[in-house]
Amino acid sequence: MDQYLQVFVIVAERKNFSRAAEELHMTQPSVSQYIHTLEEKFGTKLLERTNKYVRLNKAGNIVYHHAKEILGLYAKTQNLIDDLMNQAKGPLSIGASYTFGEYVLPRILATLQKNYPEIQPALTIGNTAKIASLVTSHQLDIGIVEGNFKDKQLVVEDFAEDYMVVVASPAHKFAQREGYVDIHELEQETWIVREEGSGTREATEKMFKRIGIAPSKKINFGSTQSIKEVVEAGLGISLLSQWAIQKELKNGDLKIIKVEGLPFSRQFSTITQTPFQTKSLEVFIDLLHKEKPLTVGFD
């Protein structure tokens, strides 16, 4: 059955029988027969077909979602069995929230490839909610997320501390001050924030409650990089991870604003679906724990 599901997933993702057949090294009639057999098995059509496209119907969407989960479990099981007799190697699917995935993980992956060249990492970057969903559905071996993450379906382990600071353009009036910025002034500013579901957005909302402000001017952006650019341009101020602003601080493009009670810390956590780990996953987690945290000051 797993082969039928594999063919179905490729057809659904390529939206074309010919392209799917080419990728699977099969003939187009063979691919069509696999789909026909699968539809007979479920007793319903799974795809809408025209001369221009192939797309999932409602039943097809259900099968596609669970097929991805089943195939992920099958691959994970095979890797665990292979690992019993072999060294760390093979595919390793990693998911990370934006801050860690974009600013910390590249260095760790470089070390991983240097020490374990037979491991084949594949990285997915998304907000915390997306990464957790992919781990839950067995499409990722491990996720790295921000904040106080809890989920009864997943194994959650804190492994690193992160510090959050308020930043502004060097030309901003707050950047010219020697002392702390008054909290009421912060409330009047335009805040550049991440989207709902992001760990950085969660930290920002917690910070607002912690210092007792409720800013009315908020602009949402979907990535930390875009936030840094608009803050540098003077559009507003933002709360960002110390991991994400090292280059900008060094180059003088951003400046940390002194706020009473900040910086404050949050945790980076690993999330996995099962306590059973491949050797590849074990060595990756070991590298995560060896990553040295940064410290932030106002100097």
Side-chain angles (χ1 to χ4, degrees), residues 103-135:
Y103 300 104
V104 185
L105 199 51
R107 181 172 61 254
I108 297 174
L109 290 179
T111 302
L112 181 72
Q113 286 292 273
K114 179 180 179 181
N115 295 334
Y116 302 93
E118 293 191 69
I119 295 178
Q120 302 158 18
L123 178 60
T124 298
I125 295 179
N127 64 30
T128 296
K130 176 184 177 182
I131 296 304
S133 175
L134 291 174
V135 174

PDB file of all heavy atoms in Angstrom, residues 103-135:
ATOM      1  N   TYR A 103      19.318  32.163  11.888  1.00  0.00           N
ATOM      2  CA  TYR A 103      20.479  32.833  12.466  1.00  0.00           C
ATOM      3  C   TYR A 103      21.401  31.943  13.291  1.00  0.00           C
ATOM      4  O   TYR A 103      22.520  32.345  13.588  1.00  0.00           O
ATOM      5  CB  TYR A 103      20.004  34.018  13.327  1.00  0.00           C
ATOM      6  CG  TYR A 103      19.234  35.016  12.512  1.00  0.00           C
ATOM      7  CD1 TYR A 103      17.844  35.088  12.590  1.00  0.00           C
ATOM      8  CD2 TYR A 103      19.878  35.865  11.619  1.00  0.00           C
ATOM      9  CE1 TYR A 103      17.127  35.982  11.820  1.00  0.00           C
ATOM     10  CE2 TYR A 103      19.167  36.763  10.839  1.00  0.00           C
ATOM     11  CZ  TYR A 103      17.780  36.817  10.939  1.00  0.00           C
ATOM     12  OH  TYR A 103      17.084  37.700  10.163  1.00  0.00           O
ATOM     13  N   VAL A 104      20.951  30.767  13.671  1.00  0.00           N
ATOM     14  CA  VAL A 104      21.783  29.891  14.492  1.00  0.00           C
ATOM     15  C   VAL A 104      22.049  28.554  13.795  1.00  0.00           C
ATOM     16  O   VAL A 104      23.180  28.057  13.761  1.00  0.00           O
ATOM     17  CB  VAL A 104      21.124  29.626  15.870  1.00  0.00           C
ATOM     18  CG1 VAL A 104      22.061  28.814  16.757  1.00  0.00           C
ATOM     19  CG2 VAL A 104      20.741  30.924  16.551  1.00  0.00           C
ATOM     20  N   LEU A 105      21.015  27.988  13.224  1.00  0.00           N
ATOM     21  CA  LEU A 105      21.102  26.629  12.675  1.00  0.00           C
ATOM     22  C   LEU A 105      22.108  26.470  11.532  1.00  0.00           C
ATOM     23  O   LEU A 105      22.738  25.409  11.437  1.00  0.00           O
ATOM     24  CB  LEU A 105      19.710  26.181  12.219  1.00  0.00           C
ATOM     25  CG  LEU A 105      19.493  24.678  12.047  1.00  0.00           C
ATOM     26  CD1 LEU A 105      19.936  23.907  13.284  1.00  0.00           C
ATOM     27  CD2 LEU A 105      18.021  24.388  11.744  1.00  0.00           C
ATOM     28  N   PRO A 106      22.290  27.451  10.643  1.00  0.00           N
ATOM     29  CA  PRO A 106      23.271  27.251   9.561  1.00  0.00           C
ATOM     30  C   PRO A 106      24.652  26.853  10.066  1.00  0.00           C
ATOM     31  O   PRO A 106      25.313  25.983   9.480  1.00  0.00           O
ATOM     32  CB  PRO A 106      23.298  28.613   8.855  1.00  0.00           C
ATOM     33  CG  PRO A 106      21.918  29.143   9.058  1.00  0.00           C
ATOM     34  CD  PRO A 106      21.546  28.720  10.469  1.00  0.00           C
ATOM     35  N   ARG A 107      25.103  27.470  11.147  1.00  0.00           N
ATOM     36  CA  ARG A 107      26.420  27.146  11.710  1.00  0.00           C
ATOM     37  C   ARG A 107      26.445  25.712  12.244  1.00  0.00           C
ATOM     38  O   ARG A 107      27.437  24.986  12.081  1.00  0.00           O
ATOM     39  CB  ARG A 107      26.746  28.144  12.812  1.00  0.00           C
ATOM     40  CG  ARG A 107      28.079  27.946  13.473  1.00  0.00           C
ATOM     41  CD  ARG A 107      28.422  29.096  14.420  1.00  0.00           C
ATOM     42  NE  ARG A 107      27.457  29.229  15.504  1.00  0.00           N
ATOM     43  CZ  ARG A 107      26.554  30.197  15.577  1.00  0.00           C
ATOM     44  NH1 ARG A 107      26.454  31.101  14.619  1.00  0.00           N
ATOM     45  NH2 ARG A 107      25.726  30.283  16.598  1.00  0.00           N
ATOM     46  N   ILE A 108      25.360  25.288  12.876  1.00  0.00           N
ATOM     47  CA  ILE A 108      25.283  23.930  13.421  1.00  0.00           C
ATOM     48  C   ILE A 108      25.255  22.901  12.299  1.00  0.00           C
ATOM     49  O   ILE A 108      25.903  21.851  12.378  1.00  0.00           O
ATOM     50  CB  ILE A 108      24.044  23.792  14.326  1.00  0.00           C
ATOM     51  CG1 ILE A 108      24.172  24.726  15.530  1.00  0.00           C
ATOM     52  CG2 ILE A 108      23.858  22.351  14.786  1.00  0.00           C
ATOM     53  CD1 ILE A 108      22.944  24.780  16.408  1.00  0.00           C
ATOM     54  N   LEU A 109      24.515  23.197  11.236  1.00  0.00           N
ATOM     55  CA  LEU A 109      24.456  22.274  10.095  1.00  0.00           C
ATOM     56  C   LEU A 109      25.815  22.145   9.419  1.00  0.00           C
ATOM     57  O   LEU A 109      26.169  21.066   8.927  1.00  0.00           O
ATOM     58  CB  LEU A 109      23.405  22.748   9.095  1.00  0.00           C
ATOM     59  CG  LEU A 109      21.946  22.633   9.549  1.00  0.00           C
ATOM     60  CD1 LEU A 109      21.012  23.152   8.467  1.00  0.00           C
ATOM     61  CD2 LEU A 109      21.591  21.188   9.905  1.00  0.00           C
ATOM     62  N   ALA A 110      26.567  23.229   9.373  1.00  0.00           N
ATOM     63  CA  ALA A 110      27.912  23.163   8.788  1.00  0.00           C
ATOM     64  C   ALA A 110      28.801  22.220   9.599  1.00  0.00           C
ATOM     65  O   ALA A 110      29.562  21.416   9.035  1.00  0.00           O
ATOM     66  CB  ALA A 110      28.528  24.559   8.731  1.00  0.00           C
ATOM     67  N   THR A 111      28.701  22.308  10.923  1.00  0.00           N
ATOM     68  CA  THR A 111      29.456  21.399  11.792  1.00  0.00           C
ATOM     69  C   THR A 111      28.996  19.960  11.610  1.00  0.00           C
ATOM     70  O   THR A 111      29.814  19.026  11.565  1.00  0.00           O
ATOM     71  CB  THR A 111      29.294  21.813  13.267  1.00  0.00           C
ATOM     72  OG1 THR A 111      29.743  23.154  13.428  1.00  0.00           O
ATOM     73  CG2 THR A 111      30.091  20.893  14.184  1.00  0.00           C
ATOM     74  N   LEU A 112      27.681  19.769  11.493  1.00  0.00           N
ATOM     75  CA  LEU A 112      27.122  18.434  11.288  1.00  0.00           C
ATOM     76  C   LEU A 112      27.669  17.802  10.018  1.00  0.00           C
ATOM     77  O   LEU A 112      28.083  16.635  10.014  1.00  0.00           O
ATOM     78  CB  LEU A 112      25.595  18.521  11.223  1.00  0.00           C
ATOM     79  CG  LEU A 112      24.847  17.202  11.043  1.00  0.00           C
ATOM     80  CD1 LEU A 112      24.900  16.372  12.318  1.00  0.00           C
ATOM     81  CD2 LEU A 112      23.387  17.472  10.648  1.00  0.00           C
ATOM     82  N   GLN A 113      27.678  18.558   8.928  1.00  0.00           N
ATOM     83  CA  GLN A 113      28.151  18.025   7.655  1.00  0.00           C
ATOM     84  C   GLN A 113      29.651  17.750   7.669  1.00  0.00           C
ATOM     85  O   GLN A 113      30.118  16.791   7.044  1.00  0.00           O
ATOM     86  CB  GLN A 113      27.817  19.004   6.536  1.00  0.00           C
ATOM     87  CG  GLN A 113      26.348  19.015   6.154  1.00  0.00           C
ATOM     88  CD  GLN A 113      25.928  17.716   5.483  1.00  0.00           C
ATOM     89  OE1 GLN A 113      26.041  17.557   4.278  1.00  0.00           O
ATOM     90  NE2 GLN A 113      25.444  16.766   6.281  1.00  0.00           N
ATOM     91  N   LYS A 114      30.388  18.572   8.416  1.00  0.00           N
ATOM     92  CA  LYS A 114      31.836  18.356   8.505  1.00  0.00           C
ATOM     93  C   LYS A 114      32.147  17.075   9.259  1.00  0.00           C
ATOM     94  O   LYS A 114      33.040  16.304   8.863  1.00  0.00           O
ATOM     95  CB  LYS A 114      32.481  19.552   9.206  1.00  0.00           C
ATOM     96  CG  LYS A 114      33.993  19.426   9.376  1.00  0.00           C
ATOM     97  CD  LYS A 114      34.559  20.646  10.085  1.00  0.00           C
ATOM     98  CE  LYS A 114      36.070  20.512  10.286  1.00  0.00           C
ATOM     99  NZ  LYS A 114      36.635  21.697  10.997  1.00  0.00           N
ATOM    100  N   ASN A 115      31.434  16.830  10.354  1.00  0.00           N
ATOM    101  CA  ASN A 115      31.723  15.667  11.202  1.00  0.00           C
ATOM    102  C   ASN A 115      30.991  14.402  10.777  1.00  0.00           C
ATOM    103  O   ASN A 115      31.461  13.289  11.052  1.00  0.00           O
ATOM    104  CB  ASN A 115      31.361  15.997  12.649  1.00  0.00           C
ATOM    105  CG  ASN A 115      32.222  17.107  13.225  1.00  0.00           C
ATOM    106  OD1 ASN A 115      33.344  17.321  12.797  1.00  0.00           O
ATOM    107  ND2 ASN A 115      31.685  17.833  14.198  1.00  0.00           N
ATOM    108  N   TYR A 116      29.837  14.575  10.123  1.00  0.00           N
ATOM    109  CA  TYR A 116      29.028  13.424   9.714  1.00  0.00           C
ATOM    110  C   TYR A 116      28.554  13.626   8.272  1.00  0.00           C
ATOM    111  O   TYR A 116      27.379  13.902   8.009  1.00  0.00           O
ATOM    112  CB  TYR A 116      27.823  13.254  10.636  1.00  0.00           C
ATOM    113  CG  TYR A 116      28.198  13.079  12.096  1.00  0.00           C
ATOM    114  CD1 TYR A 116      28.262  14.177  12.952  1.00  0.00           C
ATOM    115  CD2 TYR A 116      28.487  11.817  12.612  1.00  0.00           C
ATOM    116  CE1 TYR A 116      28.611  14.023  14.279  1.00  0.00           C
ATOM    117  CE2 TYR A 116      28.842  11.655  13.942  1.00  0.00           C
ATOM    118  CZ  TYR A 116      28.899  12.767  14.772  1.00  0.00           C
ATOM    119  OH  TYR A 116      29.245  12.607  16.086  1.00  0.00           O
ATOM    120  N   PRO A 117      29.463  13.490   7.318  1.00  0.00           N
ATOM    121  CA  PRO A 117      29.134  13.800   5.915  1.00  0.00           C
ATOM    122  C   PRO A 117      28.067  12.899   5.303  1.00  0.00           C
ATOM    123  O   PRO A 117      27.485  13.256   4.269  1.00  0.00           O
ATOM    124  CB  PRO A 117      30.481  13.641   5.201  1.00  0.00           C
ATOM    125  CG  PRO A 117      31.288  12.738   6.089  1.00  0.00           C
ATOM    126  CD  PRO A 117      30.870  13.075   7.478  1.00  0.00           C
ATOM    127  N   GLU A 118      27.799  11.750   5.921  1.00  0.00           N
ATOM    128  CA  GLU A 118      26.797  10.839   5.352  1.00  0.00           C
ATOM    129  C   GLU A 118      25.372  11.158   5.819  1.00  0.00           C
ATOM    130  O   GLU A 118      24.414  10.568   5.341  1.00  0.00           O
ATOM    131  CB  GLU A 118      27.151   9.389   5.694  1.00  0.00           C
ATOM    132  CG  GLU A 118      28.422   8.901   5.009  1.00  0.00           C
ATOM    133  CD  GLU A 118      28.596   7.397   5.153  1.00  0.00           C
ATOM    134  OE1 GLU A 118      27.824   6.646   4.556  1.00  0.00           O
ATOM    135  OE2 GLU A 118      29.513   6.991   5.898  1.00  0.00           O
ATOM    136  N   ILE A 119      25.234  12.076   6.761  1.00  0.00           N
ATOM    137  CA  ILE A 119      23.902  12.538   7.144  1.00  0.00           C
ATOM    138  C   ILE A 119      23.411  13.529   6.090  1.00  0.00           C
ATOM    139  O   ILE A 119      24.162  14.398   5.639  1.00  0.00           O
ATOM    140  CB  ILE A 119      23.915  13.193   8.528  1.00  0.00           C
ATOM    141  CG1 ILE A 119      24.273  12.164   9.604  1.00  0.00           C
ATOM    142  CG2 ILE A 119      22.559  13.825   8.855  1.00  0.00           C
ATOM    143  CD1 ILE A 119      24.356  12.731  11.014  1.00  0.00           C
ATOM    144  N   GLN A 120      22.161  13.410   5.695  1.00  0.00           N
ATOM    145  CA  GLN A 120      21.587  14.267   4.654  1.00  0.00           C
ATOM    146  C   GLN A 120      20.485  15.135   5.262  1.00  0.00           C
ATOM    147  O   GLN A 120      19.307  14.767   5.245  1.00  0.00           O
ATOM    148  CB  GLN A 120      21.020  13.402   3.531  1.00  0.00           C
ATOM    149  CG  GLN A 120      22.041  12.471   2.895  1.00  0.00           C
ATOM    150  CD  GLN A 120      21.382  11.295   2.211  1.00  0.00           C
ATOM    151  OE1 GLN A 120      20.194  11.318   1.909  1.00  0.00           O
ATOM    152  NE2 GLN A 120      22.153  10.254   1.969  1.00  0.00           N
ATOM    153  N   PRO A 121      20.842  16.300   5.812  1.00  0.00           N
ATOM    154  CA  PRO A 121      19.832  17.140   6.457  1.00  0.00           C
ATOM    155  C   PRO A 121      18.957  17.863   5.437  1.00  0.00           C
ATOM    156  O   PRO A 121      19.424  18.281   4.378  1.00  0.00           O
ATOM    157  CB  PRO A 121      20.670  18.129   7.263  1.00  0.00           C
ATOM    158  CG  PRO A 121      21.950  18.236   6.499  1.00  0.00           C
ATOM    159  CD  PRO A 121      22.192  16.887   5.903  1.00  0.00           C
ATOM    160  N   ALA A 122      17.684  18.004   5.765  1.00  0.00           N
ATOM    161  CA  ALA A 122      16.749  18.804   4.979  1.00  0.00           C
ATOM    162  C   ALA A 122      16.056  19.755   5.950  1.00  0.00           C
ATOM    163  O   ALA A 122      15.522  19.324   6.970  1.00  0.00           O
ATOM    164  CB  ALA A 122      15.735  17.922   4.277  1.00  0.00           C
ATOM    165  N   LEU A 123      16.096  21.039   5.659  1.00  0.00           N
ATOM    166  CA  LEU A 123      15.624  22.051   6.601  1.00  0.00           C
ATOM    167  C   LEU A 123      14.324  22.700   6.130  1.00  0.00           C
ATOM    168  O   LEU A 123      14.197  23.106   4.982  1.00  0.00           O
ATOM    169  CB  LEU A 123      16.692  23.129   6.785  1.00  0.00           C
ATOM    170  CG  LEU A 123      16.353  24.299   7.701  1.00  0.00           C
ATOM    171  CD1 LEU A 123      16.061  23.811   9.107  1.00  0.00           C
ATOM    172  CD2 LEU A 123      17.484  25.324   7.701  1.00  0.00           C
ATOM    173  N   THR A 124      13.371  22.790   7.048  1.00  0.00           N
ATOM    174  CA  THR A 124      12.129  23.528   6.835  1.00  0.00           C
ATOM    175  C   THR A 124      12.056  24.638   7.872  1.00  0.00           C
ATOM    176  O   THR A 124      12.216  24.391   9.064  1.00  0.00           O
ATOM    177  CB  THR A 124      10.900  22.613   6.998  1.00  0.00           C
ATOM    178  OG1 THR A 124      10.953  21.576   6.013  1.00  0.00           O
ATOM    179  CG2 THR A 124       9.604  23.410   6.829  1.00  0.00           C
ATOM    180  N   ILE A 125      11.841  25.877   7.413  1.00  0.00           N
ATOM    181  CA  ILE A 125      11.729  27.015   8.326  1.00  0.00           C
ATOM    182  C   ILE A 125      10.299  27.552   8.281  1.00  0.00           C
ATOM    183  O   ILE A 125       9.727  27.742   7.203  1.00  0.00           O
ATOM    184  CB  ILE A 125      12.728  28.119   7.957  1.00  0.00           C
ATOM    185  CG1 ILE A 125      14.164  27.619   8.158  1.00  0.00           C
ATOM    186  CG2 ILE A 125      12.493  29.371   8.805  1.00  0.00           C
ATOM    187  CD1 ILE A 125      15.228  28.627   7.806  1.00  0.00           C
ATOM    188  N   GLY A 126       9.722  27.765   9.442  1.00  0.00           N
ATOM    189  CA  GLY A 126       8.362  28.296   9.523  1.00  0.00           C
ATOM    190  C   GLY A 126       8.110  28.805  10.923  1.00  0.00           C
ATOM    191  O   GLY A 126       8.982  28.720  11.798  1.00  0.00           O
ATOM    192  N   ASN A 127       6.920  29.320  11.166  1.00  0.00           N
ATOM    193  CA  ASN A 127       6.645  29.770  12.526  1.00  0.00           C
ATOM    194  C   ASN A 127       6.416  28.569  13.436  1.00  0.00           C
ATOM    195  O   ASN A 127       6.324  27.424  12.977  1.00  0.00           O
ATOM    196  CB  ASN A 127       5.490  30.775  12.581  1.00  0.00           C
ATOM    197  CG  ASN A 127       4.154  30.186  12.152  1.00  0.00           C
ATOM    198  OD1 ASN A 127       3.891  28.999  12.323  1.00  0.00           O
ATOM    199  ND2 ASN A 127       3.300  31.027  11.597  1.00  0.00           N
ATOM    200  N   THR A 128       6.355  28.816  14.710  1.00  0.00           N
ATOM    201  CA  THR A 128       6.284  27.735  15.701  1.00  0.00           C
ATOM    202  C   THR A 128       5.095  26.814  15.450  1.00  0.00           C
ATOM    203  O   THR A 128       5.221  25.585  15.540  1.00  0.00           O
ATOM    204  CB  THR A 128       6.210  28.328  17.120  1.00  0.00           C
ATOM    205  OG1 THR A 128       7.426  29.041  17.386  1.00  0.00           O
ATOM    206  CG2 THR A 128       6.025  27.246  18.168  1.00  0.00           C
ATOM    207  N   ALA A 129       3.936  27.391  15.135  1.00  0.00           N
ATOM    208  CA  ALA A 129       2.733  26.587  14.917  1.00  0.00           C
ATOM    209  C   ALA A 129       2.906  25.634  13.743  1.00  0.00           C
ATOM    210  O   ALA A 129       2.509  24.465  13.805  1.00  0.00           O
ATOM    211  CB  ALA A 129       1.536  27.508  14.687  1.00  0.00           C
ATOM    212  N   LYS A 130       3.507  26.116  12.663  1.00  0.00           N
ATOM    213  CA  LYS A 130       3.705  25.280  11.480  1.00  0.00           C
ATOM    214  C   LYS A 130       4.674  24.132  11.777  1.00  0.00           C
ATOM    215  O   LYS A 130       4.423  22.979  11.401  1.00  0.00           O
ATOM    216  CB  LYS A 130       4.243  26.112  10.324  1.00  0.00           C
ATOM    217  CG  LYS A 130       4.567  25.280   9.073  1.00  0.00           C
ATOM    218  CD  LYS A 130       5.181  26.124   7.973  1.00  0.00           C
ATOM    219  CE  LYS A 130       5.569  25.253   6.780  1.00  0.00           C
ATOM    220  NZ  LYS A 130       6.221  26.055   5.707  1.00  0.00           N
ATOM    221  N   ILE A 131       5.786  24.431  12.436  1.00  0.00           N
ATOM    222  CA  ILE A 131       6.785  23.402  12.735  1.00  0.00           C
ATOM    223  C   ILE A 131       6.195  22.331  13.642  1.00  0.00           C
ATOM    224  O   ILE A 131       6.390  21.133  13.428  1.00  0.00           O
ATOM    225  CB  ILE A 131       8.036  24.041  13.380  1.00  0.00           C
ATOM    226  CG1 ILE A 131       8.715  25.003  12.394  1.00  0.00           C
ATOM    227  CG2 ILE A 131       9.015  22.953  13.819  1.00  0.00           C
ATOM    228  CD1 ILE A 131       9.093  24.395  11.070  1.00  0.00           C
ATOM    229  N   ALA A 132       5.447  22.737  14.657  1.00  0.00           N
ATOM    230  CA  ALA A 132       4.822  21.767  15.557  1.00  0.00           C
ATOM    231  C   ALA A 132       3.855  20.862  14.804  1.00  0.00           C
ATOM    232  O   ALA A 132       3.799  19.653  15.042  1.00  0.00           O
ATOM    233  CB  ALA A 132       4.091  22.495  16.689  1.00  0.00           C
ATOM    234  N   SER A 133       3.107  21.431  13.877  1.00  0.00           N
ATOM    235  CA  SER A 133       2.153  20.644  13.090  1.00  0.00           C
ATOM    236  C   SER A 133       2.873  19.603  12.236  1.00  0.00           C
ATOM    237  O   SER A 133       2.434  18.454  12.142  1.00  0.00           O
ATOM    238  CB  SER A 133       1.330  21.582  12.199  1.00  0.00           C
ATOM    239  OG  SER A 133       0.479  20.840  11.334  1.00  0.00           O
ATOM    240  N   LEU A 134       3.994  19.975  11.632  1.00  0.00           N
ATOM    241  CA  LEU A 134       4.741  19.054  10.777  1.00  0.00           C
ATOM    242  C   LEU A 134       5.397  17.938  11.590  1.00  0.00           C
ATOM    243  O   LEU A 134       5.493  16.798  11.138  1.00  0.00           O
ATOM    244  CB  LEU A 134       5.802  19.816   9.977  1.00  0.00           C
ATOM    245  CG  LEU A 134       5.267  20.752   8.897  1.00  0.00           C
ATOM    246  CD1 LEU A 134       6.405  21.563   8.283  1.00  0.00           C
ATOM    247  CD2 LEU A 134       4.534  19.966   7.809  1.00  0.00           C
ATOM    248  N   VAL A 135       5.849  18.250  12.803  1.00  0.00           N
ATOM    249  CA  VAL A 135       6.403  17.203  13.674  1.00  0.00           C
ATOM    250  C   VAL A 135       5.293  16.253  14.111  1.00  0.00           C
ATOM    251  O   VAL A 135       5.470  15.027  14.105  1.00  0.00           O
ATOM    252  CB  VAL A 135       7.109  17.817  14.902  1.00  0.00           C
ATOM    253  CG1 VAL A 135       7.548  16.715  15.874  1.00  0.00           C
ATOM    254  CG2 VAL A 135       8.321  18.638  14.472  1.00  0.00           C
TER     255      VAL A 135
END
